[in-house]
Amino acid sequence: MRVEGRRLARSFLRCFAIQGSFNDRTYQAGGLTYALLPLLQRAYGGDPVGLREATERHLARFNAHPYLAPMAVGALARLESEGADPATIGRFRRALTGALGAAGDRAIWGSWRPFCLLLGLLAFSLGSGPWMAVLAFLGPFTAGHLAIRLWAFHRGWTRGREAPAALGSFFWQRVPRWLSRGSLMLVGAVAVGLAGPIAGEMSMGSVAGAAAGLVAVLASFRPEAGGRLAGVLLVIAPLAAVVLR
Amino acid sequence: MLLCMLLGGVTAVDAVSWPQAMISRPVVSATLGGAVLGEPLAGLTVGAILELLALRHLPMGTASYPDTGPAGVVAGASAAVSVGPAGLAAATLAGWAIGWMGSRTVGWLRSLNAWLVAGPSVQELAARPARLERRHRWAVALDVARGGVLVGALLVPAAALSTIMPDVRGAPAEVAVVGGLIGALAAGAGAGGGALSSRGREVLLVALGAVGMIVLRTLV
């Protein structure tokens, strides 16, 4: 079935709001249905009962990584357009939740995003101005997430049931691991690098940097304890100014 | 104030509802907050610390995480009017606290969203798709409003806290204040690194990065 580009574009753009009505009962189901509607209306044009049943199907609980959810939108719309039976659609829909969630969490929240954030912080610690630092983060990150979303939607619409197979590829399995390792090195570099600007005019900038590096390394072995220590020190810092002035 | 509230709304909605372009991250939101008052560098400084503190809080599964968009805007604006490291420390602390307060309001919003799109019977919503579309858009609009209200309510107290902090530059207390801030960012960074690594030995890469930066700083 030929679907005009405008409908596909509308559906794709609606994917950016897929978490707009996120809730703890149906998660992204409202957003998924919202994004699917332009294509469902095309698939079931002249069949209001079919449209109502399809809409009802997709209001059931659904959750996936928001940048990969467009794959679900494209693939489910494809299945609906091809007249797949509701049981098949339901099974595929449930399988997508695990696949798209796990791949996205690992590759994007756990690798791509922290890597780009730390690039921005590294730029700041090396002396760049604030807007260059922001650009050092948002530039690559924006290019990446837009490309992923577009690829996911296109893959879903053109491949239907076969779409998620791409998530087992080298790119989705290996690259996130490299990025995570890169992020770990950047964590150490940034902890040392930012100590200098914060130490400011104090003559102990290099000592502060070394100490920061040591604290970062130790905290990385015990993330929970490191997080608590960070919170405690954050409270102590302003209190010290009041108590010791 | 209105501009900050608008920024608060825009950064709040970006975190989850639309479009998740990551302008809600402290690196961006705090820089913007500082820029509103003419001090983007102060904003970024506090944003950098908040970013490292938030690094280990990944939005996976049922994990909770701070609402960094409005928190960053408030922290950045507060840092812009602060004087000295104590003011910076107060702005950072305010931002961190507001982030977790904001996280609570996200929970309330989700309950409201459940009423909006999961409350009516599925058959009712499916029969009238236009109603579903309207409710979905309302949910997005409510998230914008939530961020704006959060900033509107907490910007003045946070900025006031930052401005009343004593200027400890040149005083003995400066070492304690700066040491505390640096310790917090380093511990937060390390904790974030630990959360990101999948294998125990990988955290040694943190040491490699730290040594590399020390060498670079020494040579340059």
Side-chain angles (χ1 to χ4, degrees):
Chain A
M1 157 186 282
R2 269 192 68 78
V3 175
E4 57 269 29
R6 216 168 37 192
R7 272 190 195 271
L8 286 168
R10 261 179 78 200
S11 196
F12 174 67
L13 287 175
R14 286 185 173 203
C15 288
F16 284 80
I18 204 154
Q19 298 201 139
S21 55
F22 192 92
N23 64 84
D24 294 331
R25 234 191 284 177
T26 56
Y27 298 98
Q28 292 171 346
L32 176 75
T33 314
Y34 176 72
L36 274 168
L37 271 170
L39 296 174
L40 291 180
Q41 284 160 344
R42 179 71 174 89
Y44 292 98
D47 178 9
V49 174
L51 177 62
R52 182 173 47 77
E53 286 172 355
T55 306
E56 214 173 294
R57 264 198 288 286
H58 296 296
L59 284 171
R61 184 184 293 191
F62 179 84
N63 202 25
H65 191 280
Y67 294 174
L68 292 178
M71 183 182 284
V73 173
L76 290 169
R78 169 62 72 182
L79 290 184
E80 295 281 359
S81 303
E82 290 172 348
D85 71 274
T88 302
I89 292 174
R91 277 195 300 272
F92 180 63
R93 200 174 175 279
R94 280 189 294 278
L96 279 175
T97 297
L100 301 183
D105 283 351
R106 185 179 57 242
I108 296 160
W109 295 154
S111 302
W112 180 236
R113 187 177 76 174
F115 184 78
C116 293
L117 280 167
L118 289 163
L119 274 183
L121 293 177
L122 182 71
F124 179 45
S125 68
L126 291 175
S128 82
W131 300 118
M132 275 309 290
V134 168
L135 196 60
F137 158 51
L138 280 184
F141 186 80
T142 303
H145 85 77
L146 289 177
I148 287 170
R149 284 167 140 155
L150 196 53
W151 167 83
F153 184 75
H154 179 263
R155 175 107 192 158
W157 177 248
T158 54
R159 302 292 187 100
R161 245 174 297 197
E162 307 306 317
L167 298 175
S169 70
F170 177 88
F171 177 83
W172 285 97
Q173 296 300 315
R174 290 295 183 150
V175 172
R177 207 181 289 175
W178 297 341
L179 289 175
S180 288
R181 289 173 183 162
S183 297
L184 291 173
M185 284 194 279
L186 287 175
V187 159
V190 162
V192 171
L194 285 180
I198 290 170
E201 288 142 17
M202 290 173 59
S203 59
M204 299 165 58
S206 53
V207 174
L214 183 62
V215 170
V217 171
L218 291 174
S220 62
F221 284 100
R222 292 278 184 271
E224 286 292 328
R228 277 195 287 273
L229 175 64
V232 166
L233 290 172
L234 197 57
V235 171
I236 285 176
L239 277 179
V242 174
V243 169
L244 298 175
R245 63 174 164 165
Chain B
M1 169 66 103
L2 280 176
L3 190 52
C4 283
M5 287 177 69
L6 181 65
L7 270 178
V10 166
T11 55
V13 78
D14 176 71
V16 175
S17 300
W18 176 86
Q20 292 199 299
M22 297 301 123
I23 60 169
S24 53
R25 299 304 298 182
V27 160
V28 184
S29 60
T31 305
L32 290 172
V36 167
L37 296 174
E39 296 285 346
L41 184 61
L44 177 58
T45 304
V46 77
I49 302 171
L50 289 173
E51 190 63 70
L52 290 172
L53 288 170
L55 203 60
R56 76 183 182 103
H57 296 285
L58 302 173
M60 299 183 190
T62 54
S64 59
Y65 48 88
D67 187 20
T68 54
V73 171
V74 170
S78 301
V81 298
S82 68
V83 178
L88 191 75
T92 311
L93 179 61
W96 193 236
I98 291 169
W100 288 106
M101 280 187 238
S103 177
R104 184 66 70 88
T105 67
V106 168
W108 299 338
L109 181 69
R110 286 184 182 177
S111 300
L112 192 55
N113 286 346
W115 174 78
L116 272 173
V117 297
S121 77
V122 170
Q123 292 81 9
E124 213 179 297
L125 274 180
R128 291 161 62 189
R131 194 173 174 216
L132 167 69
E133 289 174 326
R134 251 193 329 270
R135 285 176 171 241
H136 185 75
R137 289 177 191 134
W138 264 112
V140 175
L142 284 170
D143 203 1
V144 177
R146 180 190 66 82
V149 166
L150 201 59
V151 169
L154 297 171
L155 178 59
V156 169
L161 179 68
S162 297
T163 51
I164 65 172
M165 296 302 290
D167 186 357
V168 296
R169 283 175 293 190
E174 186 182 15
V175 176
V177 174
V178 172
L181 269 180
I182 291 173
L185 83 87
L196 292 174
S197 73
S198 53
R199 294 173 191 157
R201 281 179 307 176
E202 279 184 351
V203 298
L204 292 174
L205 292 169
V206 175
L208 189 62
V211 168
M213 180 58 90
I214 290 171
V215 168
L216 184 69
R217 279 278 152 94
T218 309
L219 291 175
V220 173

